[in-house]
């Protein structure tokens, strides 16, 4: 089979790493890819939002399966474009992709299907939103409705922060059209967990739980990022609760979408808050997370290509989705200054040495190959991912490998998986 992965981050390198191990694979293409994917297949200079270009390439190169990494191409209708030329796409249709593309769409569907979530209101008028915010208690969460690269969420602790967020989103349009509509919701208190599932339109197969680390600084301080590390499984969501969590957070959505003729095929990701009143869904993603994909791929024992084909064809068999028992931990190395302005072009040394640590794979994100050397090209640069017999060993191996890598102006959190360790101890 010829397979095309769409995207350029650490998630796409992890997918390429896993797919490259499938006996079903003939040729692997990644558009646009990065320095890591270039070692596993052929990078193609097509942007992930160029639906016409991606479709034409897939058609002309006899691609048998397209795997959507990020959400943007799905929201823009990649699946529909590929359907028109009879090429299967692992990822949902544009209608279902609104679960991530529109916060208001997702919240309204949660309300309609009975999925537990924070109380909320949707506004497309700045004056109405401001009046509502001023009349309600703090803290509160203000979200840009559309895609904002993971940055369109403000947890306002003061009225000045809340009013500033509304002004930024709705008047100053710092997120462009994404902030013309906003969702204002109550702030939930608890510990977060990530819960993903493979879906084939009717069947749902949960993946092992994870915990992501969104804030840039240790102890969950500083600005929100795309994710500074993740580990699996997360003790806050143990395996004996996966089935119940699928019934609570995933199946109501997939059942509803199937009933209205928009079956969800691909990965549905529920971001959860484990509150004192029980689990609540914060948001949905319609693809693998980044960096959550990295620890999941490290643990996945089954052939990913077989699973993806089963999802596409409506033939998903839970018994064919098997994971290693080991725990996995991913630590992200970023460029200092991320998620704001940061330098690029730093030469990266030590990846080979890091991968000599038992159980370690280094997934490249913001990298490119330049004159035979790997250099940084983005904010999140590497995802150092380790398997271990338990969380403590996986974490130790990941940080041992991190210590072997060097590039100028590098930065990483030192407390990835500490919450999980506290729970296990």
């Amino acid at each position: 089979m010829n397979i095309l992965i769409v995207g350029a981050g650490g998630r796409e390198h992890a997918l390429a790493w896993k797919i490259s191990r499938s006996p079903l694979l003939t040729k692997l293409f990644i558009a646009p890819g990065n320095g890591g994917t270039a070692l596993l297949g052929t990078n193609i200079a097509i942007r992930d939002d160029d639906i016409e270009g991606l479709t034409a390439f897939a058609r002309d190169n006899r691609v048998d399966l397209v795997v959507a990494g990020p959400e943007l191409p799905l929201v823009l209708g990649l699946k529909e474009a590929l359907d028109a030329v009879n090429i299967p796409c692992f990822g949902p249709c544009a209608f279902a992709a609104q679960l991530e593309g529109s916060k208001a769409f997702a919240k309204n569907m949660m309300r309609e299907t009975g999925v537990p979530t924070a109380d909320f209101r949707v506004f497309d008028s700045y004056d109405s939103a401001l009046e509502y915010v001023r009349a309600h208690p703090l803290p509160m969460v203000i979200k840009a409705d559309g895609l904002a690269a993971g940055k369109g969420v403000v947890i306002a602790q003061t009225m000045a922060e809340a009013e500033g967020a509304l002004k930024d989103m709705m008047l100053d349009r710092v997120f462009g059209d994404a902030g013309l509509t906003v969702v204002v919701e109550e702030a939930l208190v608890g510990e977060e967990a990530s819960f993903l599932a493979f879906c084939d339109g009717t069947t749902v197969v949960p993946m092992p739980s994870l915990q992501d680390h969104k804030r840039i600084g240790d102890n969950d301080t500083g600005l929100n990022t795309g994710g500074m590390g993740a580990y699996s499984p997360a003790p806050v969501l143990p395996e004996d609760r996966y089935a119940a969590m699928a019934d609570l957070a995933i199946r109501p959505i997939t059942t509803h979408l199937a009933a209205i003729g928009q079956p969800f095929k691909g990965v549905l990701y529920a971001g959860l808050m484990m509150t004192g009143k029980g689990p609540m869904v914060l948001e949905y993603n319609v693809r693998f997370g980044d960096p959550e994909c990295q620890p999941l791929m490290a643990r996945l024992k089954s052939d990913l290509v077989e699973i993806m084909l089963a999802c596409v064809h409506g033939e998903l068999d839970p018994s064919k989705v098997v994971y290693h028992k080991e725990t996995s931990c991913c630590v992200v190395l970023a460029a200092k200054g991320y998620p704001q302005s940061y330098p690029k072009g730093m030469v990266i040394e030590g990846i080979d040495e890091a991968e000599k640590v038992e159980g370690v794979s280094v997934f490249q994100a913001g990298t490119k190959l330049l004159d035979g050397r790997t250099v940084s090209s983005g904010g999140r640069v590497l995802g150092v991912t380790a398997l271990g017999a338990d969380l403590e060993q996986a974490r130790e191996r990941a940080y041992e490998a991190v210590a072997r890598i060097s590039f100028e102006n590098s930065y990483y959190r030192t407390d990835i998986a500490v919450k999980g360790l506290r729970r296990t101890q």
Side-chain angles (χ1 to χ4, degrees), residues 2 29 52-63 85 87:
N2 296 338
F29 304 103
E52 187 177 337
L54 293 167
T55 304
F57 178 87
R59 181 194 62 223
D60 295 346
N61 289 271
R62 298 183 179 178
V63 167
V85 292
I87 297 173

Side-chain angles (χ1 to χ4, degrees), residues 1-26:
M1 292 181 65
N2 296 338
I3 296 177
L4 169 64
I5 300 172
V6 177
R11 163 185 51 221
E12 287 73 34
H13 186 192
L15 292 173
W17 175 81
K18 186 63 181 173
I19 286 171
S20 69
R21 284 158 166 70
S22 172
L24 297 174
L25 180 69
T26 305

Side-chain angles (χ1 to χ4, degrees), residues 192-252:
E192 288 192 45
S194 301
F195 188 64
L196 291 75
F198 288 111
C199 309
D200 75 349
T202 53
T203 302
V204 169
V205 179
M207 301 182 211
S209 64
L210 303 105
Q211 189 168 73
D212 185 21
H213 298 67
K214 285 291 183 196
R215 300 278 188 160
I216 187 66
D218 285 356
N219 302 312
D220 297 324
T221 57
L223 296 171
N224 264 336
T225 73
M228 292 300 295
Y231 63 94
S232 174
V236 71
L237 180 53
E239 187 174 357
D240 61 8
R241 295 180 65 189
Y242 292 176
M245 194 59 64
D247 288 341
L248 185 80
I250 304 292
R251 283 196 180 87

